[in-house]
Coordinates of all heavy atoms in Angstrom, one line a residue:
G181 N -41.2 278.2 228.1 CA -40.5 278.5 226.8 C -41.4 278.5 225.6 O -40.9 278.6 224.4
W182 N -42.7 278.4 225.7 CA -43.6 278.5 224.6 C -43.4 279.8 223.9 O -43.4 280.9 224.6 CB -45.0 278.2 225.0 CG -46.0 278.1 223.9 CD1 -46.7 279.2 223.3 CD2 -46.5 277.0 223.3 NE1 -47.5 278.7 222.3 CE2 -47.4 277.3 222.3 CE3 -46.2 275.6 223.5 CZ2 -48.1 276.4 221.5 CZ3 -46.9 274.7 222.7 CH2 -47.8 275.1 221.7
P183 N -43.3 279.9 222.6 CA -43.2 281.2 222.0 C -44.3 282.2 222.3 O -45.5 281.8 222.3 CB -43.2 280.9 220.5 CG -42.7 279.5 220.4 CD -43.3 278.8 221.6
E184 N -43.9 283.4 222.7 CA -44.9 284.5 223.0 C -45.6 284.3 224.3 O -46.5 285.1 224.6 CB -45.9 284.7 221.8 CG -45.2 285.1 220.5 CD -46.2 285.2 219.4 OE1 -47.4 285.4 219.6 OE2 -45.8 285.2 218.2
D185 N -45.2 283.3 225.1 CA -45.9 283.2 226.4 C -45.5 284.4 227.3 O -44.3 284.6 227.6 CB -45.4 281.9 227.0 CG -46.1 281.5 228.4 OD1 -46.9 282.4 228.8 OD2 -45.8 280.4 228.9
P186 N -46.5 285.1 227.7 CA -46.2 286.3 228.5 C -46.0 286.0 230.0 O -45.5 286.9 230.8 CB -47.5 287.2 228.4 CG -48.6 286.2 228.2 CD -48.0 285.0 227.5
A187 N -46.3 284.8 230.5 CA -46.3 284.5 231.9 C -45.0 283.8 232.3 O -44.3 283.2 231.5 CB -47.5 283.6 232.2
W247 N -51.6 274.7 223.5 CA -51.5 275.8 224.5 C -52.4 275.5 225.7 O -52.0 275.4 226.8 CB -51.8 277.1 223.8 CG -51.9 278.3 224.7 CD1 -53.1 278.9 225.1 CD2 -50.9 279.1 225.3 NE1 -52.8 280.0 225.9 CE2 -51.5 280.1 226.0 CE3 -49.5 279.0 225.3 CZ2 -50.7 281.1 226.7 CZ3 -48.7 279.9 226.0 CH2 -49.3 280.9 226.7
P252 N -54.0 285.1 225.4 CA -53.8 286.5 225.6 C -54.1 287.4 224.4 O -54.1 286.8 223.3 CB -52.3 286.6 226.0 CG -51.6 285.4 225.4 CD -52.7 284.3 225.4
Y254 N -53.3 290.2 221.5 CA -52.1 290.2 220.6 C -52.1 291.5 219.8 O -53.1 291.9 219.3 CB -52.2 289.0 219.6 CG -51.1 288.9 218.7 CD1 -49.8 288.6 219.1 CD2 -51.3 289.1 217.3 CE1 -48.7 288.5 218.3 CE2 -50.2 289.0 216.4 CZ -48.9 288.8 216.9 OH -47.9 288.7 216.0
G277 N -51.9 279.3 220.9 CA -51.5 280.3 221.9 C -51.6 281.7 221.5 O -51.1 282.6 222.2
R278 N -52.2 281.9 220.3 CA -52.3 283.3 219.8 C -53.7 283.5 219.2 O -54.2 282.6 218.5 CB -51.3 283.6 218.7 CG -51.3 285.1 218.3 CD -50.7 285.4 217.0 NE -49.3 285.2 217.0 CZ -48.6 284.8 215.9 NH1 -49.2 284.6 214.8 NH2 -47.3 284.7 216.0
T306 N -48.7 279.8 213.9 CA -48.7 279.5 215.3 C -47.9 280.6 216.0 O -47.2 281.4 215.3 CB -48.1 278.1 215.7 OG1 -48.3 277.9 217.1 CG2 -46.6 278.0 215.4
A307 N -48.0 280.7 217.3 CA -47.2 281.7 218.0 C -45.7 281.4 217.7 O -45.2 280.3 217.7 CB -47.4 281.6 219.5
G308 N -45.0 282.5 217.5 CA -43.5 282.4 217.2 C -43.2 282.4 215.7 O -42.1 282.2 215.3
D309 N -44.2 282.6 214.8 CA -44.0 282.5 213.4 C -43.5 283.8 212.8 O -43.4 283.9 211.6 CB -45.3 282.1 212.7 CG -46.5 283.1 212.9 OD1 -46.3 284.1 213.5 OD2 -47.6 282.7 212.5
G310 N -43.2 284.8 213.6 CA -42.7 286.1 213.1 C -43.7 287.1 212.7 O -43.3 288.2 212.3
Q311 N -45.0 286.9 212.9 CA -46.0 287.9 212.7 C -45.9 289.0 213.7 O -45.6 288.8 214.9 CB -47.4 287.2 212.7 CG -48.5 288.2 212.5 CD -48.6 288.8 211.1 OE1 -47.8 289.6 210.7 NE2 -49.6 288.3 210.3

Side-chain angles (χ1 to χ4, degrees):
W182 187 274
E184 301 177 17
D185 184 354
W247 170 258
Y254 180 67
R278 187 203 288 153
T306 189
D309 60 9
Q311 178 67 288

